[in-house]
Amino acid sequence: MSEVLVLVDHVDGAVRKPTYELLAIAKRLGEPSAVFIGAADKAESAAADLAKYGAEKIYTVDDAEVKGYLVAPKAEVLQQVAEAAGSDGPAAILIVSSGEGKEIAGRLAIKLGSGLITDAVDVDGEGNTTQSVFAGSYTVKAKVTKGTPIITVKPNSASAEESAGAGTVEQFSATISDAAKAARIVASNPRQASGRPELSEAAIVVSGGRGTGGDFAPVEGLADALGAAVGASRAAVDSGWQPHALQIGQTGKVVSPQLYVAAGISGAIQHRAGMQTSKTIVAINKDEEAPIFELVDFGVVGDLHSVLPAAAEAVEKRK
Ligand code: FAD
């Protein structure tokens, strides 16, 4: 069986959930191999975690020459791992559909002369991908026809499944060209942590819109009860109630959680573009004619200021 390379998305060696989801998809296509680019002293524990989720092989690449630069060196590392995989190359290369992931994938596709598909929400065992395009108004099935398929997959497109893989660790030394080091990072300041999950990979998102009137406490209360991330409509962001980083939609983030709760959001097409691939959609709106009710699985006609606290209380009671 051919290997399927999965680029590991991690923070300081702590593997992020979307990587485990990619390993589950990799298993459909062949033999999952993870590529960990990071500090050498973090590789062992990351490899143990990756093996738990089915990685048969883990290539560990010391990031001494990679960190401090933008993404070009990572694309070179992946190219070299792929080329070392033999004349046929890997069966596929899977990367998380983040901004960075898509840039790495684009550069890698050029280097390998391969076809590239971005923002897949599903990949079957034959390499057929599903994408949701044009603000979610079309579902497209596509397949790479040239070279090694390179596919970026959105978080929450598959379930992370624990299933032990061999976890054989192979240290890989890559050579980084001067050209790849053309852009250096001069400063990097992490956003203050909210304690909530990262929006684009959260399993549950609770979003608020203009209907909050600027009071996001009920939205945050339900989010915290559910262990969810907080999102916002553009109206809420434009009003200065939430930062742009939390905007969901055509000009914000695209999320695809298991559960999306929209409170005080009318359901404009541009907002839908960012959330309509969510598995279950719940809306709370005081206007029963609000367009958001056209796409919900469960709708509540009511004032979010009373419905959300009641829902949060009910969730807390069940814990
Ligand atoms: P509104 O449309 O004003 O809806 C507020 C809703 O709250 C109403 O349905 C109302 O009935 C309800 N409500 C009021 N009070 C309560 C209450 N107490 N309890 C319950 N319900 C209540 N929008 C985005 O969200 N994301 C984008 O990325 C985005 N990109 C855009 C790009 C372009 C090029 C353009 C033109 C627009 C874009 N928009 C985007 C804006 C979009 O068209 C809408 O204007 C916006 O989504 C509306 O936000 P909203 O639903 O919060 O506000």
XYZ file of all heavy atoms in Angstrom, residues 138-225:
610
model
N -22.889 25.772 -4.566
C -22.603 24.575 -5.362
C -21.752 23.609 -4.552
O -20.871 24.026 -3.796
C -21.808 24.917 -6.626
C -22.654 25.444 -7.748
C -23.020 26.774 -7.784
C -23.094 24.587 -8.763
C -23.801 27.262 -8.804
C -23.876 25.074 -9.792
C -24.223 26.415 -9.804
O -25.008 26.893 -10.816
N -22.010 22.334 -4.753
C -21.140 21.305 -4.209
C -20.412 20.700 -5.400
O -21.058 20.308 -6.380
C -21.960 20.220 -3.486
O -22.625 20.842 -2.399
C -21.074 19.114 -2.953
N -19.089 20.673 -5.345
C -18.295 20.198 -6.485
C -17.509 18.953 -6.084
O -16.919 18.909 -5.012
C -17.298 21.301 -6.938
C -16.372 20.789 -8.025
C -18.047 22.523 -7.418
N -17.547 17.952 -6.936
C -16.703 16.762 -6.744
C -15.541 16.907 -7.714
O -15.765 17.215 -8.899
C -17.470 15.484 -7.090
C -18.741 15.309 -6.282
C -18.497 14.411 -5.115
C -19.813 14.112 -4.400
N -19.611 13.656 -3.051
N -14.341 16.702 -7.249
C -13.176 16.849 -8.128
C -12.119 15.822 -7.751
O -12.121 15.284 -6.637
C -12.606 18.259 -8.003
N -11.230 15.567 -8.717
C -10.159 14.595 -8.469
C -8.903 15.084 -9.164
O -8.981 15.555 -10.319
C -10.590 13.236 -9.027
C -9.609 12.132 -8.701
C -10.157 10.766 -9.069
C -9.155 9.718 -8.653
N -9.640 8.368 -8.777
N -7.777 14.971 -8.508
C -6.513 15.371 -9.127
C -6.147 14.341 -10.195
O -6.226 13.125 -9.951
C -5.391 15.471 -8.067
C -4.030 15.619 -8.730
C -5.647 16.651 -7.138
N -5.753 14.841 -11.368
C -5.455 13.913 -12.467
C -3.967 13.916 -12.838
O -3.552 13.174 -13.711
C -6.262 14.287 -13.723
O -5.992 15.657 -14.027
C -7.744 14.084 -13.524
N -3.178 14.790 -12.194
C -1.763 14.840 -12.570
C -0.873 14.793 -11.332
O -1.104 15.541 -10.370
C -1.486 16.136 -13.352
C -0.053 16.257 -13.804
C 0.131 17.413 -14.766
C 1.561 17.448 -15.277
N 2.398 18.386 -14.622
N 0.105 13.925 -11.350
C 1.082 13.858 -10.268
C 0.494 13.329 -8.967
O -0.530 12.633 -8.959
N 1.148 13.687 -7.872
C 0.688 13.272 -6.547
C -0.438 14.197 -6.108
O -0.223 15.406 -6.012
C 1.846 13.416 -5.525
O 2.913 12.577 -5.938
C 1.407 13.042 -4.129
N -1.632 13.670 -5.835
C -2.717 14.573 -5.423
C -2.344 15.308 -4.130
O -1.942 14.681 -3.149
C -3.893 13.630 -5.183
C -3.555 12.393 -5.938
C -2.064 12.285 -5.930
N -2.446 16.631 -4.176
C -2.209 17.444 -2.980
C -3.558 18.038 -2.614
O -4.200 18.700 -3.434
C -1.176 18.555 -3.270
C 0.154 17.908 -3.688
C -0.977 19.452 -2.051
C 1.162 18.892 -4.255
N -4.005 17.745 -1.398
C -5.366 18.137 -1.023
C -5.328 18.842 0.330
O -4.763 18.310 1.289
C -6.285 16.886 -0.933
C -6.261 16.105 -2.257
C -7.711 17.295 -0.579
C -6.895 14.725 -2.184
N -5.892 20.047 0.384
C -6.054 20.664 1.700
C -7.493 20.424 2.135
O -8.425 20.541 1.345
C -5.709 22.174 1.720
O -6.764 22.918 1.121
C -4.391 22.469 1.015
N -7.632 20.048 3.403
C -8.932 19.621 3.914
C -9.331 20.519 5.084
O -8.522 20.797 5.975
C -8.858 18.144 4.392
C -10.231 17.668 4.857
C -8.320 17.242 3.296
N -10.581 20.964 5.070
C -11.042 21.850 6.144
C -11.163 21.088 7.456
O -11.575 19.913 7.453
C -12.424 22.394 5.786
C -12.385 23.505 4.787
C -13.735 24.157 4.795
C -13.906 25.106 3.661
N -15.249 25.630 3.604
N -10.861 21.761 8.570
C -11.063 21.122 9.870
C -12.518 20.662 10.013
O -13.426 21.257 9.428
C -10.748 22.241 10.869
C -9.803 23.132 10.131
C -10.262 23.104 8.698
N -12.714 19.592 10.777
C -14.034 19.006 11.049
C -14.643 18.290 9.839
O -15.835 18.031 9.822
C -15.036 20.059 11.550
C -14.690 20.555 12.930
O -14.442 19.739 13.831
N -14.616 21.844 13.105
N -13.818 17.966 8.836
C -14.354 17.241 7.679
C -14.382 15.734 7.914
O -14.958 14.999 7.134
C -13.512 17.544 6.435
O -13.601 18.905 6.115
N -13.720 15.267 8.948
C -13.740 13.843 9.289
C -13.625 13.737 10.797
O -13.234 14.706 11.457
C -12.565 13.122 8.627
N -13.979 12.567 11.343
C -13.814 12.391 12.790
C -12.414 11.883 13.068
O -11.938 10.978 12.373
C -14.796 11.364 13.333
O -16.061 11.620 12.850
N -11.793 12.457 14.098
C -10.487 11.947 14.533
C -10.740 10.616 15.225
O -11.550 10.547 16.141
C -9.854 12.936 15.491
N -10.085 9.551 14.736
C -10.346 8.226 15.318
C -9.076 7.638 15.889
O -8.083 7.518 15.179
C -10.844 7.259 14.226
C -12.202 7.590 13.691
C -12.404 7.047 12.278
O -11.569 6.240 11.818
O -13.385 7.472 11.642
N -9.136 7.259 17.171
C -7.963 6.599 17.753
C -7.870 5.196 17.176
O -8.829 4.433 17.215
C -8.096 6.521 19.273
C -7.773 7.836 19.938
C -7.342 7.679 21.386
O -6.628 6.704 21.686
O -7.730 8.534 22.197
N -6.738 4.841 16.558
C -6.493 3.471 16.105
C -4.990 3.357 15.915
O -4.395 4.098 15.138
C -7.232 3.175 14.793
O -6.528 3.641 13.688
N -4.387 2.491 16.720
C -2.921 2.471 16.801
C -2.260 2.151 15.469
O -2.649 1.215 14.769
C -2.499 1.462 17.852
N -1.279 2.977 15.104
C -0.442 2.699 13.938
C 0.935 2.283 14.436
O 1.233 2.407 15.629
N 1.793 1.808 13.537
C 3.117 1.320 13.949
C 3.959 2.457 14.547
O 4.763 2.241 15.448
C 3.827 0.712 12.748
N 3.783 3.657 14.061
C 4.481 4.816 14.631
C 6.001 4.754 14.492
O 6.721 5.255 15.346
N 6.482 4.150 13.415
C 7.927 4.074 13.198
C 8.475 5.475 12.911
O 8.005 6.150 12.001
C 8.228 3.177 11.965
O 7.478 1.993 12.112
C 9.701 2.886 11.829
N 9.453 5.888 13.742
C 9.985 7.247 13.574
C 11.211 7.219 12.669
O 12.100 6.383 12.830
C 10.355 7.854 14.946
C 11.025 9.219 14.771
C 9.107 7.990 15.814
N 11.210 8.111 11.687
C 12.380 8.227 10.813
C 12.812 9.694 10.799
O 12.038 10.571 10.427
C 12.001 7.787 9.386
C 13.196 7.775 8.471
C 12.832 7.268 7.066
O 12.067 6.294 6.931
O 13.340 7.891 6.110
N 14.049 9.927 11.256
C 14.539 11.311 11.216
C 14.905 11.640 9.787
O 15.611 10.872 9.138
C 15.745 11.467 12.122
C 15.334 11.491 13.584
C 16.513 11.598 14.522
O 17.628 11.840 14.080
N 16.258 11.398 15.788
N 14.424 12.766 9.319
C 14.647 13.137 7.923
C 15.396 14.466 7.908
O 14.984 15.428 8.554
C 13.288 13.294 7.216
C 13.397 13.502 5.737
C 13.392 12.432 4.859
C 13.527 14.790 5.226
C 13.502 12.630 3.483
C 13.647 14.993 3.858
C 13.632 13.914 2.984
N 16.535 14.508 7.202
C 17.190 15.827 7.135
C 16.961 16.443 5.767
O 17.253 15.828 4.738
C 18.670 15.771 7.485
O 19.223 14.617 7.059
N 16.400 17.622 5.815
C 16.069 18.337 4.583
C 17.101 19.442 4.354
O 17.739 19.904 5.299
C 14.679 18.943 4.716
N 17.254 19.810 3.084
C 18.165 20.916 2.758
C 17.313 22.104 2.331
O 16.507 21.986 1.398
C 19.049 20.510 1.549
O 19.476 19.170 1.771
C 20.237 21.428 1.399
N 17.461 23.194 3.033
C 16.643 24.375 2.723
C 17.460 25.337 1.858
O 18.573 25.731 2.232
C 16.186 25.088 4.012
C 15.535 24.094 4.992
C 15.251 26.245 3.693
C 14.309 23.394 4.474
N 16.912 25.709 0.705
C 17.640 26.597 -0.217
C 17.627 28.044 0.291
O 16.763 28.415 1.090
C 16.998 26.547 -1.599
O 15.737 27.195 -1.539
N 18.545 28.851 -0.202
C 18.567 30.266 0.171
C 17.293 30.958 -0.324
O 16.753 31.840 0.335
C 19.797 30.970 -0.438
C 21.056 30.579 0.324
O 20.921 30.029 1.448
O 22.163 30.788 -0.221
N 16.811 30.527 -1.495
C 15.601 31.153 -2.061
C 14.413 30.994 -1.108
O 13.583 31.890 -0.978
C 15.288 30.536 -3.416
N 14.358 29.850 -0.435
C 13.228 29.608 0.473
C 13.321 30.469 1.726
O 12.364 30.586 2.482
C 13.174 28.129 0.846
N 14.511 31.030 1.940
C 14.688 31.850 3.150
C 14.593 33.343 2.812
O 15.126 34.190 3.533
C 16.056 31.550 3.765
C 16.189 30.123 4.287
C 17.567 29.963 4.891
C 17.814 28.558 5.369
N 19.222 28.354 5.727
N 13.942 33.637 1.697
C 13.908 35.031 1.215
C 13.068 35.938 2.108
O 13.251 37.146 2.107
C 13.378 35.072 -0.216
N 12.120 35.380 2.849
C 11.294 36.227 3.718
C 11.397 35.734 5.154
O 11.019 34.598 5.455
C 9.843 36.198 3.251
N 11.936 36.594 6.005
C 12.146 36.205 7.409
C 11.064 36.851 8.290
O 10.635 37.974 8.023
C 13.533 36.673 7.837
C 13.822 36.509 9.314
C 15.183 37.064 9.665
N 16.268 36.120 9.449
C 16.510 35.068 10.219
N 15.737 34.810 11.244
N 17.508 34.266 9.969
N 10.626 36.133 9.314
C 9.656 36.711 10.260
C 10.444 37.596 11.231
O 11.419 37.134 11.835
C 8.927 35.593 11.038
C 8.130 34.719 10.065
C 8.030 36.175 12.122
C 7.621 33.427 10.642
N 10.030 38.854 11.363
C 10.784 39.744 12.248
C 10.120 39.869 13.624
O 10.770 40.193 14.605
C 11.011 41.140 11.623
C 12.007 41.054 10.493
C 9.711 41.755 11.135
N 8.828 39.620 13.704
C 8.151 39.636 15.007
C 6.895 38.800 14.907
O 6.285 38.728 13.848
C 7.793 41.066 15.391
N 6.530 38.182 15.985
C 5.317 37.378 15.973
C 4.728 37.390 17.388
O 5.361 36.931 18.338
C 5.702 35.967 15.507
O 4.964 34.995 16.124
N 3.548 37.999 17.518
C 2.932 38.134 18.845
C 1.617 37.377 18.870
O 0.684 37.749 18.149
C 2.656 39.613 19.155
C 3.932 40.411 19.102
O 4.923 40.044 19.733
N 3.934 41.480 18.331
N 1.526 36.298 19.649
C 0.268 35.549 19.672
C -0.874 36.383 20.238
O -0.660 37.225 21.110
C 0.576 34.367 20.601
C 1.779 34.752 21.370
C 2.507 35.782 20.585
N -2.071 36.173 19.646
C -3.260 36.862 20.156
C -3.516 36.367 21.580
O -3.250 35.210 21.909
C -4.462 36.505 19.261
C -5.634 37.394 19.455
C -6.542 37.362 18.218
N -6.446 36.143 17.441
C -7.279 35.120 17.562
N -8.232 35.131 18.448
N -7.167 34.071 16.780
N -4.024 37.288 22.434
C -4.285 36.875 23.803
C -5.293 35.721 23.813
O -6.342 35.820 23.180
C -4.845 38.045 24.596
C -4.479 37.942 26.046
C -4.275 39.306 26.657
O -4.655 40.330 26.081
N -3.687 39.344 27.823
N -4.944 34.653 24.508
C -5.808 33.468 24.485
C -7.118 33.758 25.209
O -7.136 34.388 26.268
C -5.089 32.317 25.151
N -8.241 33.314 24.603
C -9.543 33.528 25.223
C -9.899 32.345 26.115
O -10.848 32.393 26.868
C -10.608 33.670 24.136
O -10.718 32.446 23.435
N -9.118 31.264 25.981
C -9.461 30.052 26.724
C -10.485 29.220 25.966
O -10.801 28.109 26.366
N -10.995 29.755 24.872
C -11.979 29.010 24.060
C -11.253 28.337 22.900
O -10.148 28.741 22.536
C -13.047 29.952 23.514
C -13.815 30.648 24.607
C -15.077 31.314 24.107
N -15.739 31.944 25.227
C -15.658 33.238 25.513
N -14.991 34.054 24.729
N -16.265 33.731 26.574
N -11.894 27.324 22.296
C -11.219 26.650 21.165
C -11.016 27.593 19.983
O -11.733 28.594 19.843
C -12.177 25.518 20.780
C -13.342 25.603 21.676
C -13.210 26.761 22.598
N -10.058 27.262 19.154
C -9.772 28.017 17.920
C -11.000 27.938 17.010
O -11.550 26.857 16.773
C -8.541 27.394 17.271
C -8.200 27.869 15.890
C -7.909 29.343 15.810
O -7.399 29.903 16.806
O -8.204 29.937 14.766
N -11.449 29.110 16.520
C -12.712 29.188 15.778
C -12.794 28.214 14.600
O -13.772 27.488 14.439
C -12.898 30.634 15.297
C -14.183 30.988 14.580
C -15.404 30.636 15.405
C -14.215 32.467 14.227
N -11.749 28.192 13.766
C -11.882 27.409 12.534
C -11.830 25.906 12.765
O -12.163 25.133 11.876
C -10.831 27.834 11.508
O -9.588 27.904 12.120
N -11.422 25.465 13.957
C -11.389 24.015 14.170
C -12.311 23.563 15.298
O -12.310 22.390 15.662
C -9.960 23.541 14.437
C -9.342 24.098 15.685
C -7.840 23.834 15.726
O -7.163 24.166 14.747
O -7.380 23.306 16.726
N -13.106 24.499 15.860
C -13.978 24.141 16.986
C -15.091 23.199 16.529
O -15.622 23.337 15.428
C -14.584 25.404 17.584
N -15.455 22.259 17.386
C -16.542 21.336 17.060
C -17.892 22.035 17.204
O -18.875 21.631 16.591
C -16.469 20.117 17.967
N -17.935 23.052 18.060
C -19.181 23.818 18.247
C -18.841 25.307 18.170
O -17.837 25.742 18.741
C -19.836 23.521 19.619
C -20.018 22.008 19.828
C -21.170 24.256 19.768
C -20.582 21.628 21.198
N -19.669 26.060 17.444
C -19.485 27.516 17.361
C -20.812 28.184 17.722
O -21.865 27.790 17.214
C -19.058 27.950 15.932
C -18.996 29.470 15.822
C -17.707 27.338 15.555
N -20.748 29.158 18.617
C -21.935 29.951 18.933
C -21.652 31.373 18.449
O -20.680 31.990 18.876
C -22.228 29.964 20.451
C -23.503 30.761 20.733
C -22.359 28.538 20.992
N -22.477 31.863 17.518
C -22.234 33.174 16.922
C -23.337 34.154 17.261
O -24.506 33.781 17.376
C -22.185 33.057 15.395
O -20.982 32.484 14.994
N -22.950 35.409 17.359
C -23.923 36.468 17.615
C -23.895 37.502 16.510
O -22.860 37.725 15.877
N -25.028 38.144 16.300
C -25.118 39.167 15.257
C -25.626 40.481 15.809
O -25.552 40.736 17.023
N -26.192 41.299 14.909
C -26.695 42.616 15.305
C -27.764 42.485 16.398
O -27.929 43.369 17.223
C -27.282 43.332 14.078
C -27.303 44.834 14.262
C -28.115 45.574 13.204
N -27.886 45.168 11.849
C -27.019 45.756 11.008
N -26.292 46.752 11.411
N -26.901 45.313 9.762
N -28.480 41.359 16.365
C -29.546 41.130 17.351
C -29.060 41.097 18.791
O -29.863 41.205 19.722
N -27.761 40.958 19.007
C -27.250 40.988 20.388
C -27.304 42.405 20.945
O -27.204 42.595 22.154
C -25.773 40.522 20.465
O -24.985 41.409 19.660
C -25.588 39.098 19.982
N -27.382 43.393 20.042
C -27.349 44.781 20.476
C -26.004 45.146 21.103
O -25.905 46.138 21.825
N -25.008 44.332 20.838
C -23.668 44.620 21.370
C -23.380 43.882 22.667
O -22.255 43.887 23.155
N -24.389 43.221 23.244
C -24.175 42.475 24.486
C -23.916 41.005 24.135
O -24.851 40.249 23.851
C -25.412 42.612 25.386
C -25.285 41.762 26.641
O -24.178 41.261 26.916
O -26.309 41.596 27.340
N -22.656 40.617 24.137
C -22.294 39.251 23.757
C -22.261 38.288 24.951
O -21.927 37.116 24.787
C -20.935 39.233 23.025
C -21.096 39.171 21.520
C -21.646 40.235 20.822
C -20.737 38.026 20.805
C -21.826 40.169 19.438
C -20.922 37.944 19.430
C -21.471 39.025 18.746
N -22.600 38.792 26.150
C -22.530 37.921 27.334
C -23.383 36.651 27.166
O -22.904 35.548 27.478
C -22.919 38.693 28.587
N -24.617 36.749 26.638
C -25.395 35.509 26.486
C -24.759 34.535 25.479
O -24.816 33.320 25.659
C -26.754 35.995 25.960
C -26.808 37.451 26.241
C -25.402 37.939 26.261
N -24.141 35.087 24.409
C -23.482 34.248 23.395
C -22.277 33.548 24.041
O -22.096 32.326 23.922
C -23.022 35.116 22.193
C -22.182 34.314 21.221
C -24.234 35.726 21.494
N -21.477 34.324 24.774
C -20.289 33.754 25.416
C -20.680 32.755 26.502
O -20.014 31.737 26.688
C -19.430 34.884 26.005
C -18.783 35.716 24.900
C -18.165 37.024 25.375
O -18.379 37.401 26.549
O -17.491 37.665 24.568
N -21.793 33.041 27.192
C -22.248 32.134 28.255
C -22.594 30.767 27.699
O -22.179 29.732 28.237
N -23.335 30.735 26.580
C -23.693 29.432 25.993
C -22.440 28.764 25.420
O -22.246 27.555 25.568
C -24.761 29.598 24.906
C -25.189 28.286 24.234
C -25.765 27.300 25.261
C -26.205 28.524 23.118
N -21.568 29.582 24.795
C -20.335 29.015 24.231
C -19.530 28.327 25.326
O -19.051 27.190 25.153
C -19.500 30.103 23.560
N -19.394 28.979 26.489
C -18.589 28.390 27.560
C -19.252 27.150 28.139
O -18.583 26.187 28.494
C -18.285 29.437 28.634
C -17.315 30.492 28.096
O -16.625 30.203 27.090
O -17.261 31.598 28.656
N -20.590 27.161 28.214
C -21.286 25.969 28.717
C -21.051 24.783 27.794
O -20.910 23.640 28.239
C -22.777 26.255 28.844
